[in-house]
Amino acid sequence: MEHWELRTENCSMARKQNIAQLRCMGCGSIEPTPTADLRCTKCRELLEAVYPTWQKRGSQQPNPVALKNLWHQRRMSLDALDQSGVWRFRELLPILSDIKHAVTLAEGNTPLYKLQQSARQSGVEQLYVKHLGMNPTGSFKDTGMTTVISKARELGVKWVACASTGNTSSSMAAYAARAGLRCLVLVPQDKISVGKLSQTLEYGAVVCQLPTDFDECLKILSEVVQQAPVYLVNSANPYRLEGQKTAAVEMLEQLGWKVPDHVIVPGGNLGNSSAIGKALLELHELGFISTLPKVSIIQAEGSRALVRTMQETKGESLVSVKAETLATAIRIGSPVSWRKAVNVLRSTGGACEYVSEQEIAAAKAQLGAEGIGCEPASAVTLAGLYNLCRQGFVNPSETVVMMLTGHVLKDADYVIRFHSGQLLPGYSEAMKSFCNPPIQADANPKSVIEVLERFTNEPARALA
Ligand code: F0G
C-alpha cells in the first residue's frame, strides 16, 4: 500500500487564504505535517485548528453583523452547501483550500425544542433540547464527518478509518460512500447496538469486530494508521471538531443570538464537548456573543474518566477507567480529547458530573414521554440537569440547552428492554412511572376495547 503525506497547508499559503493551520495543544507549535495518528511530531499532544487572520483585528476577521445576516439569507438558497447546517456557516470553518471538495448530506439544521413536562419537573422554565439525533445518519457525528471526509477528499486519501461505539462508524461509512472513499471500522464485538452495526454495514464499510473494548480498538487503530495508508477520522482529527462546532452556532441562531446560561453535553471520548466549547469561545472572541454559557459535561457513572480526572488531579492528568455502561455510545474509559474538555470546563466555568444507570433510563423515558426520543447516551444530560439543580449550580430562572446526540432508534433493544421491565435488576420509582410495556390482547375488538377502558380508568402505565 502506498503512503501519502498528511501535509496540511503551508504556513504562508494558509495565512493568505486563511485556511486552518493545526496548532499543538501542548507546545503551541504549528504542525504542518502531523503524525498519522494526528498528533504533534514534537510532543505527541492533540492538534486544534486555528485561523491565522483571526488572531489580529482587521478586515480579514469575520464580521458578526454581516455574517449573521448572510447565514440567515442562505437558508433561502437552493445551493447544496447553503442547505447544509454545517457549510452554511463555512466562514467559521475554512478548512478547505477549494470548497468543491465538500461532501454533504444536508447535515445539521437540527431542531431546538422547548420542553414543558421536564421543565416543570426540574423547575427550570427555559429548558431546551437541541436534537442532534435528527442528522442524516441519526447522530451528531454527521456535522463533523462532513468536514473531515471533505478534507480527506482534498488530501487525496483513498481509505478512511475509525474506531467506534457505533455512531461515528455509521456516519463515516455514509459520508465515505458519498465521497467514493473506502472505509475501515474497528468496533468492540457485541458492544455496539444492532442498529448502528446495520447502518455501518449498509453504507459499505469494512467492519472488523474485535473481542475487546472501544479504548483498545482506538489504540489498535492508532498503530494501524502508522503502518498503512488509512486516514484517521476519529475525533482526534481536528477537522472533525470544526464541523461539530456548528451545533453551537445553530443553537445560538435558533435562540435569536440570546446566549443561554448553561449548555449541557454528554461526555464520551470528549470530542463533542470540546467542539461546542471551541465554537462558543471563538464566537465570544470574535464578538458574535458578549457572554459565555457554562458548558457542563455529564458522563455515565461507570465511564466517568473526566469526572475522576477533575476530582482527583484537578484536570492535570487523565484518570482512565475500565468503562461499563448500558449507554454503549459512551462506554469509553480513556477519552482522547480529555485535555480539550478540561480547557472547556475551565474557560466556561462548567461542571462535570456523572449519573447512574437508573437515572439515565428514567431521564430517557421522561423525554420520550414528552415526544422527544433519544438514545441513552443523550439522556445523561437531563439526568445531569437534575443533579446540577439539586446542587444549586443551575438556577430555576436560568436558560438551559441540553444537547441530545442520538436518535431513539439507534438502540431499540434498550428501549424494549426498558419498557418490558428487563433493563436493570431493580427499577426506581421514576423508572416505573414511565414504563410502558406492550399489552397482549386477543385478536378481536372486544378485547381491544377492554384494554382501552382499563387505561381510561387507570392512565398511569407503571409496571405492576
Ligand atoms: N452521544 C452519542 C450518541 C455518541 O455516539 C457519543 C460518542 C457521545 C454522545 C459522546 O461524544 O465522544 O464526542 O464525547 N460516540 C462515539 C462513537 C465515540 O464512536 O460513535 P464524544
Side-chain angles (χ1 to χ4, degrees):
M1 284 174 122
E2 205 180 285
H3 271 265
W4 73 90
E5 196 179 358
L6 285 178
R7 188 160 248 298
T8 55
E9 308 312 318
N10 87 35
C11 295
S12 67
M13 175 150 71
R15 254 195 304 277
K16 218 160 70 223
Q17 288 186 285
N18 193 33
I19 300 296
Q21 292 184 326
L22 300 184
R23 184 176 66 193
C24 173
M25 294 277 303
C27 66
S29 56
I30 296 293
E31 180 55 83
T33 48
T35 58
D37 60 347
L38 294 163
R39 287 175 179 270
C40 171
T41 43
K42 295 192 197 78
C43 68
R44 303 258 325 124
E45 254 303 336
L46 287 186
L47 304 169
E48 63 178 347
V50 290
Y51 302 99
T53 59
W54 291 6
Q55 261 108 60
K56 24 184 192 337
R57 303 227 165 255
S59 60
Q60 289 212 56
Q61 254 205 354
N63 175 330
V65 176
L67 283 179
K68 284 178 187 176
N69 272 328
L70 177 65
W71 296 337
H72 189 75
Q73 277 166 23
R74 281 183 184 153
R75 292 162 78 176
M76 306 294 179
S77 162
L78 296 179
D79 182 274
L81 287 188
D82 291 346
Q83 288 187 356
S84 156
V86 171
W87 297 105
R88 189 156 69 82
F89 304 107
R90 51 192 172 270
E91 290 76 11
L92 286 184
L93 40 120
I95 60 164
L96 299 175
S97 298
D98 190 336
I99 198 77
K100 76 166 193 268
H101 294 114
V103 184
T104 177
L105 281 167
E107 52 289 317
N109 300 313
T110 52
L112 182 79
Y113 299 121
K114 192 155 192 278
L115 299 183
Q116 272 158 4
Q117 275 137 266
S118 303
R120 263 198 303 280
Q121 187 85 18
S122 63
V124 179
E125 225 171 274
Q126 300 298 320
L127 182 60
Y128 296 86
V129 286
K130 170 91 178 131
H131 205 330
L132 307 173
M134 299 301 194
N135 267 293
T137 75
S139 86
F140 73 98
K141 306 288 180 179
D142 296 339
T143 56
M145 211 49 80
T146 182
T147 46
V148 79
I149 295 295
S150 302
K151 191 68 192 177
R153 191 150 86 155
E154 183 167 274
L155 287 167
V157 308
K158 303 249 174 342
W159 279 84
V160 288
C162 72
S164 183
T165 56
N167 278 329
T168 302
S169 57
S170 304
S171 182
M172 176 187 76
Y175 281 85
R178 298 294 294 173
L181 304 178
R182 304 292 312 275
C183 65
L184 171 73
V185 167
L186 304 191
V187 290
Q189 185 161 11
D190 303 328
K191 294 292 180 193
I192 77 167
S193 76
V194 176
K196 296 174 189 177
L197 180 61
S198 323
Q199 281 184 293
T200 308
L201 295 171
E202 179 80 0
Y203 299 134
V206 175
V207 179
C208 297
Q209 307 195 72
L210 308 187
T212 182
D213 58 13
F214 167 83
D215 297 291
E216 191 63 25
C217 286
L218 190 53
K219 219 157 95 198
I220 292 168
L221 185 61
S222 302
E223 287 172 33
V224 170
V225 296
Q226 307 202 44
Q227 294 170 38
V230 289
Y231 186 58
L232 183 74
V233 302
N234 274 98
S235 54
N237 190 317
Y239 298 118
R240 269 272 303 277
L241 302 198
E242 290 308 284
Q244 287 177 211
K245 289 193 309 193
T246 54
V249 190
E250 206 176 69
M251 167 198 78
L252 287 166
E253 196 184 49
Q254 286 165 316
L255 290 170
W257 293 96
K258 205 165 159 283
V259 182
D261 299 289
H262 296 272
V263 175
I264 305 181
V265 190
N269 218 12
L270 299 175
N272 202 31
S273 39
S274 302
I276 285 165
K278 184 174 192 279
L280 293 166
L281 290 163
E282 285 176 355
L283 290 171
H284 188 242
E285 181 67 20
L286 293 168
F288 285 76
I289 49 176
S290 54
T291 57
L292 271 176
K294 294 186 173 78
V295 178
S296 293
I297 303 173
I298 314 295
Q299 298 194 294
E301 183 171 18
S303 305
R304 59 182 194 280
L306 184 67
V307 176
R308 290 194 50 189
T309 297
M310 295 307 288
Q311 282 172 350
E312 294 168 32
T313 78
K314 303 233 173 329
E316 288 308 306
S317 58
L318 176 67
V319 179
S320 295
V321 300
K322 183 95 193 99
E324 208 39 87
T325 170
L326 294 176
T328 52
I330 50 173
R331 193 171 175 273
I332 295 171
S334 204
V336 77
S337 295
W338 68 273
R339 209 185 276 285
K340 290 184 179 177
V342 168
N343 289 348
V344 169
L345 291 174
R346 284 179 180 155
S347 40
T348 68
C352 186
E353 286 292 325
Y354 68 87
V355 287
S356 70
E357 294 297 319
Q358 300 218 345
E359 289 171 316
I360 297 171
K364 186 177 121 52
Q366 182 176 341
L367 287 165
E370 200 165 336
I372 312 285
C374 67
E375 67 166 292
S378 307
V380 300
T381 52
L382 179 59
L385 173 71
Y386 285 119
N387 286 353
L388 297 177
C389 287
R390 266 195 298 276
Q391 294 162 19
F393 184 80
V394 171
N395 192 302
S397 63
E398 292 180 311
T399 303
V400 178
V401 180
M402 304 184 290
M403 293 289 177
L404 299 185
T405 45
H407 196 280
V408 64
L409 293 178
K410 284 285 193 170
D411 196 348
D413 189 47
Y414 182 105
V415 184
I416 299 286
R417 281 193 294 142
F418 173 82
H419 288 292
S420 311
Q422 290 158 8
L423 186 71
L424 290 162
Y427 269 45
S428 64
E429 288 309 311
M431 287 169 75
K432 283 186 197 164
S433 71
F434 291 112
C435 238
N436 184 24
I439 294 149
Q440 223 52 57
D442 291 335
N444 60 59
K446 182 167 167 282
S447 166
V448 175
I449 287 167
E450 271 169 20
V451 172
L452 201 56
E453 281 169 353
R454 182 147 53 91
F455 277 89
T456 309
N457 300 331
E458 174 70 68
R461 291 178 289 186
L463 278 187

